[in-house]
Structures are given as C-alpha cells and as structure tokens.
Amino acid sequence: LQYATKILSCRHDLLNALSEFSQSIRGELSLGASTIPGEYLLPKLMGDFRKEHPYVTISLKIADSKKIVEYVLEGIVELGMTGAKIDHGSLLYERFGEDEVVVISPLEYPLARDKKVNIEKLLEEPWIIREEGSGTQMAVERALRKKGKSLKQFNLVMEMGSTSSVKEGVKAHLGLAFISKKAAEEELTRGIFSRIDLKGIETISRQIYIVSHRSRTLSPIAMEFLRFLRRKKEAKDGNPS
C-alpha cells in the first residue's frame, strides 16, 4: 500500500510538472471542502475554472472542517475550503467569504409565529445538530458562549453527519436546527421551512477560508486555482483586479 500510494503521488506530481511546459494548464487537482463550501460554493467555481482550463481533472473530497484540515496536513488534498479556522502552525488560511447561520423549523412551527424568540424559550425544543468538528457547530458554540450558554444545554435529539440529513430531519418534524443560510435558502424561499429569529443574540456568522499547507509548494494547477479564487473574491467584493 505504501509503494502504491507513492506511485500514485509521483504520477500526480509528474502530470503537474509537465503542465509547466505545456501551452495550457493540464493535470489533476485535489481539493477538500467542508459541507457548505463543498456543496454550495465549489461546484460552480470548479465548473467555471474548467471552462478556462478544460484539460484539468478536479477531485473533491467533502467532510467536516476538522477532517479537511487533516487532509491538507497529510497532503491528501492540496487546497481546502472550510467554514472554521482550526489553528495549526503548518496551516495557512485565507479568507474567501462569509456565511450566516440561522435557525430553521418545519413550516408553521408555533414559535416561528413570534417576531423574535429568547434562547431560554428554545432550550426545551427538540434540536438536530451537526457532528462535532462541523464549522456550523463551532460558530454556534462561539455565539452561545457569549451569552453563557452551550449546545449541551439544549434538548438534542439527533446528531447528523451532513447538512442534507439535517434538512431532511427538519422536514420530518424531528426538531429545529442551526444551519447555513446558503444551505436553507431554497427551502425558505419555497416555504418549506420557517426561520426563527433569536432575541438578544447577535447574528451568527462565520468566515469561509481557503486553507493550504504553509511549507508545501503548491503545484502549478493549484496555484492557478488559488489565483482564480482570489479573482472571484475580488469581483464579489467589488474590487476587480
């Protein structure tokens, strides 16, 4: 297994090295992303990148933020995109965007009729949460700590491994959930979910980061993809280069 892994790694490096001598960029790019950027941001970005560089093959691994950081550290992926910053001396983080975390409930849930709801009022309600290591959960915990609260005080009835399964749980009336606004946008617009606004707590937001290994040189393809992401960010922020 060790030798097979080395052979595949050498093949990957060889293809990337050869691309430097080619008129166009070609080869393989390995990316990792936590659920929200992996399911709601990167697919379109990858498609746009391949329009510019049709000879590039991209593989994307999706896991929680903690696992993606491990993949970057182990060299399994060259670049990661996460919804949480997990400190490590070998990691380099670059801000890409921002995401908001909201509370969703099944449609016409009694509490959703109120304009704003106190956290104390929500403690006894059934809750569905993401697994530990999720960027969403980390952002929620940070916001709750400022109010002297923790998710452990909530009535947690279910833990899910993905955002999609959390949404399905809410649809099945199993409980409420903290979730990325990007992930729930379509269901909120179509009236499948209700949004519950929290009283006495500031907007729960989190950054989306591009993460790479500080001491590992990126391949030409990864460098080109990083430049592409920076251009997209500048255009989105209204500062086109």
Side-chain angles (χ1 to χ4, degrees):
L1 178 61
Q2 276 183 314
Y3 288 111
T5 304
K6 282 179 184 176
I7 289 168
L8 290 172
S9 178
C10 286
R11 176 182 175 276
H12 176 264
D13 292 344
L14 174 62
L15 288 170
N16 287 336
L18 285 170
S19 74
E20 293 187 70
F21 300 97
S22 172
Q23 290 282 338
S24 60
I25 288 181
R26 60 181 68 220
E28 300 171 356
L29 173 63
S30 53
L31 302 174
S34 57
T35 309
I36 300 308
E39 292 182 359
Y40 299 95
L41 290 177
L42 271 177
K44 185 179 186 312
L45 291 167
M46 288 161 61
D48 290 346
F49 183 74
R50 284 205 76 251
K51 284 175 189 173
E52 294 181 17
H53 306 288
Y55 300 110
V56 171
T57 302
I58 306 174
S59 65
L60 173 64
K61 294 182 184 296
I62 298 178
D64 62 51
S65 295
K66 207 171 179 180
K67 194 69 181 173
I68 295 304
V69 162
E70 288 175 20
Y71 287 160
V72 173
L73 288 169
E74 292 166 13
I76 295 170
V77 300
E78 284 198 87
L79 291 170
M81 192 175 275
T82 63
K85 193 173 181 179
I86 298 164
D87 292 331
H88 191 287
S90 298
L91 294 174
L92 195 61
Y93 287 94
E94 189 172 324
R95 184 183 167 277
F96 180 73
E98 195 170 72
D99 186 26
E100 184 184 350
V101 178
V102 298
V103 176
I104 58 168
S105 71
L107 187 63
E108 296 178 354
Y109 199 77
L111 285 178
R113 296 178 196 139
D114 298 340
K115 260 192 170 181
K116 293 209 171 200
V117 181
N118 281 317
I119 283 285
E120 286 76 11
K121 206 171 180 182
L122 293 172
L123 292 178
E124 296 306 315
E125 299 294 325
W127 284 84
I128 305 166
I129 62 165
R130 284 288 309 279
E131 79 286 358
E132 193 177 344
S134 147
T136 299
Q137 187 169 325
M138 290 182 204
V140 171
E141 282 287 15
R142 277 197 304 273
L144 290 176
R145 272 199 302 270
K146 291 177 183 177
K147 295 294 176 183
K149 303 290 182 189
S150 167
L151 275 174
K152 291 175 184 175
Q153 297 172 261
F154 284 63
N155 176 24
L156 307 178
V157 296
M158 207 162 289
E159 183 180 294
M160 299 291 201
S162 71
T163 301
S164 300
S165 56
V166 169
K167 291 200 291 185
E168 289 305 312
V170 175
K171 285 177 190 175
H173 290 251
L174 299 176
L176 312 181
F178 287 101
I179 197 170
S180 159
K181 188 181 175 185
K182 283 183 174 65
E185 211 150 25
E186 185 182 340
E187 288 86 353
L188 286 167
T189 302
R190 289 167 55 198
I192 295 169
F193 294 148
S194 292
R195 174 175 171 171
I196 296 177
D197 291 318
L198 304 179
K199 188 177 182 180
I201 189 167
E202 60 189 36
T203 301
I204 303 174
S205 61
R206 61 174 182 168
Q207 301 297 321
I208 301 293
Y209 296 100
I210 303 164
V211 56
S212 58
H213 199 289
R214 190 180 292 276
S215 57
R216 196 175 289 139
T217 303
L218 291 174
S219 68
I221 299 173
M223 278 302 303
E224 184 61 28
F225 189 68
L226 186 57
R227 284 192 287 267
F228 167 82
L229 290 178
R230 286 169 179 161
R231 288 199 308 272
K232 288 289 184 181
K233 180 185 180 301
E234 285 171 357
K236 186 178 63 176
D237 294 344
N239 301 307
S241 54

